[in-house]
């Protein structure tokens, strides 16, 4: 490729990475939060405890904003497939296009059909029907994740296809093999747990913030605040270790089907048995050596193969033009692992405090919980970077190169659109995140509205802001 084409390709990749990186946070937030809302409403219906309803009213406002930003940010990528990656769309479209259309026909229609009932119908339909609507929206987010990961996993571990010799297009031969490709089950579980864990730490951080705020004010935190913090810490304590196990299983699968990705993640250049684990280093793609390496003997083989004598691949086993850029995924992988270990520690720490009866009184732990608020989403983004950069230089692993997938777009056009995207995204989504943070600084109001035996208040017609409540014409309005 010519130098200008190389830069245009790099900008096309960066533009898609930027838009996906912004987008992926919101669906993950929606997946975890929708499930949390379904649990809250179900517990309220079962127990009649109003604190669950207070939390439902509080978090559904957050969900409505997050869901909207997820839809808007996702639309952009559909156009990018056509404008920036038209050759990929033409060749892989018979498979990836169909899988993404399934997502629209199942998940999107299900969510769209019941979202309005979930947001506005609590005093217009029966309790059972409203709960069914909440569950349908939650299931819809999970179905959406399933189809998107089926498509992306096929790009990582393609199977069930034939290639048209005349056009080079991937033609589906076995849809079950395409959907249930080798990496799909592992990535589905890993992503699902990541979404639940990310939301658990956001909910936990919000509860911890209000516990600290109440302590500074010399008052006791409300029951909904204590309840949300407790539920989040239970989630962290059990899901964080499960995520570590799921990540280990995913790593074994990647070692089998994408060994060069594992070598780049680990910074290993030579294939060897009884390999060390590199805690730190700077992989040098020119000298084919990891500089300033800090090693733990034998641990690399033990982690990657579950055997001290296991053989670990090296990047020199593969041609130079088939290696991913190791420095990026070497560090993104380690950031993800470090945050995962911190989340496990926080989860176990919460169990220890709970046993001592200090879960709601430990200000040190509450400050740590607040600081861990973005940990799940940062780990998720680092995991996504590791997965996608580790697939390079391919869009369809081993079959279609990224350089052969990009549209013939002028460098000036790519630079202009990249600049516009960054500016617009910072303004629009920066404002949206600012609104979310402002909402979260207000504590859920205990018993904001009385509920009749058969109906509950409109969710978005109420406010959790004390100043709004004090100026309302009446509590039952």
């Amino acid at each position: 490729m010519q130098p200008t084409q190389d830069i245009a390709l790099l900008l096309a990749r960066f533009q898609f990475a930027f838009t996906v990186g912004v987008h992926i946070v919101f669906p993950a937030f929606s997946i975890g939060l929708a499930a949390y809302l379904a649990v809250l409403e179900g517990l309220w219906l079962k127990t009649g405890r109003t604190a669950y309803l207070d939390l439902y009213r509080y978090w559904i406002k957050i969900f409505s904003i997050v869901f909207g930003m997820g839809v808007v940010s996702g639309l952009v990528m559909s156009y990018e497939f056509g404008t920036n990656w038209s050759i990929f769309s033409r060749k892989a479209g018979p498979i990836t296009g169909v899988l993404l259309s399934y997502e629209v026909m199942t998940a999107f229609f299900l969510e769209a059909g019941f979202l309005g009932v979930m947001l506005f119908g609590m005093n217009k339909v029966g309790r059972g029907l409203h709960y069914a609507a909440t569950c349908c929206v939650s299931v819809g987010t999970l179905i959406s994740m399933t189809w998107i990961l089926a498509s992306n996993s096929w790009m990582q571990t393609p199977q069930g296809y034939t290639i048209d010799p005349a056009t080079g297009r991937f033609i589906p031969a076995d849809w079950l093999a395409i959907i249930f490709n080798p990496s799909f089950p592992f990535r589905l579980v890993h992503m699902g747990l990541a979404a639940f864990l990310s939301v658990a730490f956001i909910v936990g951080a919000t509860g911890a913030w209000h516990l600290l705020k109440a302590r500074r004010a010399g008052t006791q935190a409300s029951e909904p605040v204590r309840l949300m913090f407790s539920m989040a810490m239970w989630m962290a304590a059990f899901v964080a270790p499960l995520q570590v196990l799921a990540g280990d299983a995913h790593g074994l699968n990647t070692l089998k089907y994408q060994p060069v990705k594992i070598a780049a993640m680990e910074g290993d250049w030579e294939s060897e048995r009884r390999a060390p684990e590199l805690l730190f280093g700077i992989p040098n793609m020119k000298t084919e050596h990891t500089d300033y390496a800090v090693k733990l003997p034998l641990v690399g083989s033990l982690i990657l193969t579950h055997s001290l004598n296991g053989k670990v691949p090296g990047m020199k086993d593969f041609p130079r033009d088939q290696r991913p850029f190791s420095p990026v995924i070497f560090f993104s992988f380690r950031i993800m692992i470090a945050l995962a270990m911190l989340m496990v520690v926080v989860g176990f720490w919460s169990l220890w405090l709970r046993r001592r009866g200090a879960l709601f009184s430990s200000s040190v732990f509450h400050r740590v919980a607040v600081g861990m608020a973005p940990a799940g989403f940062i780990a998720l983004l680092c995991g996504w970077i590791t997965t996608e950069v580790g697939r390079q230089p391919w869009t369809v692993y081993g079959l279609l190169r990224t350089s052969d997938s990009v549209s013939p777009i002028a460098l000036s056009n790519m630079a202009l659109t990249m600049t516009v995207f960054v500016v617009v995204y910072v303004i629009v989504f920066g404002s949206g995140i600012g609104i979310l943070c402002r909402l979260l600084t207000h504590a859920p109001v205990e018993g904001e509205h009385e509920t009749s035996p058969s109906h509950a208040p409109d969710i978005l017609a109420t406010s959790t802001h004390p100043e709004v409540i004090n100026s309302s014409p009446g509590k039952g309005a």
Side-chain angles (χ1 to χ4, degrees):
M1 298 179 70
Q2 298 298 321
T4 55
Q5 292 176 310
D6 289 337
I7 298 173
L9 172 61
L10 186 62
L11 284 177
R13 288 178 59 190
F14 183 76
Q15 185 180 106
F16 198 78
F18 176 74
T19 52
V20 174
V22 173
H23 171 70
I24 195 173
V25 170
F26 298 115
F29 206 155
S30 297
I31 291 164
L33 198 50
Y36 183 49
L37 289 169
V39 170
L40 287 173
E41 187 171 8
L43 289 172
W44 171 60
L45 291 174
K46 182 178 180 180
T47 66
R49 187 176 173 185
T50 56
Y52 290 121
L53 179 59
D54 294 335
L55 286 177
Y56 185 92
R57 287 198 301 257
Y58 181 78
W59 284 104
I60 200 170
K61 296 179 178 68
I62 306 300
F63 176 79
S64 64
I65 297 172
V66 169
F67 188 89
M69 289 196 290
V71 171
V72 172
S73 60
L75 290 173
V76 175
M77 294 184 296
S78 301
Y79 291 100
E80 284 184 287
F81 278 121
T83 58
N84 297 357
W85 302 99
S86 59
I87 298 177
F88 167 79
S89 298
R90 179 172 61 84
K91 291 187 175 182
I95 291 177
T96 59
V98 172
L99 293 175
L100 294 179
S101 68
Y102 287 165
E103 188 249 344
V104 173
M105 290 188 296
T106 56
F108 189 78
F109 285 176
L110 183 64
E111 292 164 346
F114 288 95
L115 183 64
V117 178
M118 177 185 178
L119 296 180
F120 303 108
M122 189 170 265
N123 68 343
K124 298 178 176 64
V125 299
R127 289 183 176 185
L129 181 55
H130 187 271
Y131 179 57
T134 302
C135 290
C136 284
V137 172
S138 178
V139 170
T141 63
L142 294 173
I143 294 174
S144 177
M145 175 183 69
T146 300
W147 286 119
I148 290 172
L149 283 176
S151 176
N152 187 265
S153 297
W154 180 84
M155 293 164 63
Q156 301 279 346
T157 51
Q159 67 175 24
Y161 65 90
T162 60
I163 297 178
D164 186 336
T167 62
R169 303 181 78 192
F170 295 93
I171 306 301
D174 184 344
W175 278 110
L176 287 179
I178 289 170
I179 296 169
F180 297 99
N181 58 79
S183 65
F184 169 71
F186 300 93
R187 301 181 74 236
L188 180 66
V189 172
H190 201 42
M191 181 64 192
L193 291 176
F196 296 146
L197 199 55
S198 298
V199 170
F201 275 90
I202 290 291
V203 173
T206 304
W209 170 272
H210 292 297
L211 286 168
L212 289 169
K213 191 175 179 182
R215 186 178 294 109
R216 286 194 297 268
T219 60
Q220 185 175 358
S222 66
E223 183 186 6
V225 168
R226 294 161 66 91
L227 182 60
M228 82 160 88
F229 185 67
S230 177
M231 293 177 74
M233 291 302 102
W234 278 122
M235 194 72 171
F238 287 98
V239 175
L242 285 177
Q243 179 69 312
V244 172
L245 295 176
D248 177 67
H250 187 197
L252 295 176
N253 177 264
T254 305
L255 177 63
K256 180 178 180 180
Y257 291 98
Q258 296 175 302
V260 67
K261 180 189 288 187
I262 290 292
M265 287 162 50
E266 295 295 333
D268 293 329
W269 294 93
E270 304 287 348
S271 177
E272 60 179 320
R273 296 185 183 276
R274 304 175 69 82
E277 174 67 19
L278 274 65
L279 295 179
F280 178 81
I282 302 177
N284 191 319
M285 301 299 288
K286 291 183 178 179
T287 63
E288 298 184 329
H289 180 265
T290 299
D291 302 326
Y292 314 108
V294 178
K295 303 179 181 181
L296 286 178
L298 306 178
V299 177
S301 289
L302 181 62
I303 292 175
L304 291 173
T305 68
H306 293 184
S307 170
L308 289 174
N309 199 42
K311 186 176 181 180
V312 173
M315 279 186 281
K316 289 184 180 179
D317 296 346
F318 306 91
R320 282 178 175 266
D321 65 349
Q322 295 183 18
R323 301 172 189 170
F325 190 65
S326 179
V328 171
I329 62 176
F330 181 87
F331 286 105
S332 64
F333 177 67
R334 275 152 184 76
I335 293 170
M336 178 188 70
I337 294 299
L339 289 171
M341 293 300 103
L342 280 175
M343 288 187 275
V344 171
V345 169
V346 169
F348 287 161
W349 188 2
S350 74
L351 291 178
W352 182 71
L353 289 172
R354 192 186 297 271
R355 184 173 182 178
R356 295 179 67 239
L359 183 65
F360 302 115
S361 60
S362 175
S363 59
V364 174
F365 181 69
H366 297 160
R367 289 187 177 93
V368 171
V370 171
M372 290 290 289
F377 290 119
I378 295 173
L380 185 150
L381 286 170
C382 287
W384 170 77
I385 290 169
T386 302
T387 296
E388 297 304 308
V389 176
R391 188 187 60 211
Q392 299 302 317
W394 313 95
T395 47
V396 180
Y397 188 75
L399 298 169
L400 180 62
R401 285 184 174 272
T402 306
S403 57
D404 296 328
S405 304
V406 69
S407 303
I409 300 179
L411 175 59
S412 58
N413 292 340
M414 191 62 69
L416 175 63
T417 56
M418 183 70 250
T419 303
V420 171
F421 271 123
V422 171
V423 172
V424 171
Y425 270 53
V426 168
I427 294 173
V428 173
F429 295 105
S431 300
I433 293 171
I435 293 170
L436 288 174
C437 291
R438 184 176 179 183
L439 286 173
L440 291 174
T441 60
H442 294 274
V445 178
E446 193 171 5
E448 179 182 341
H449 287 272
E450 294 180 1
T451 32
S452 66
S454 60
H455 294 91
D458 264 344
I459 296 301
L460 295 184
T462 63
S463 173
T464 59
H465 295 202
E467 63 270 25
V468 176
I469 294 170
N470 293 334
S471 63
S472 299
K475 273 195 170 184

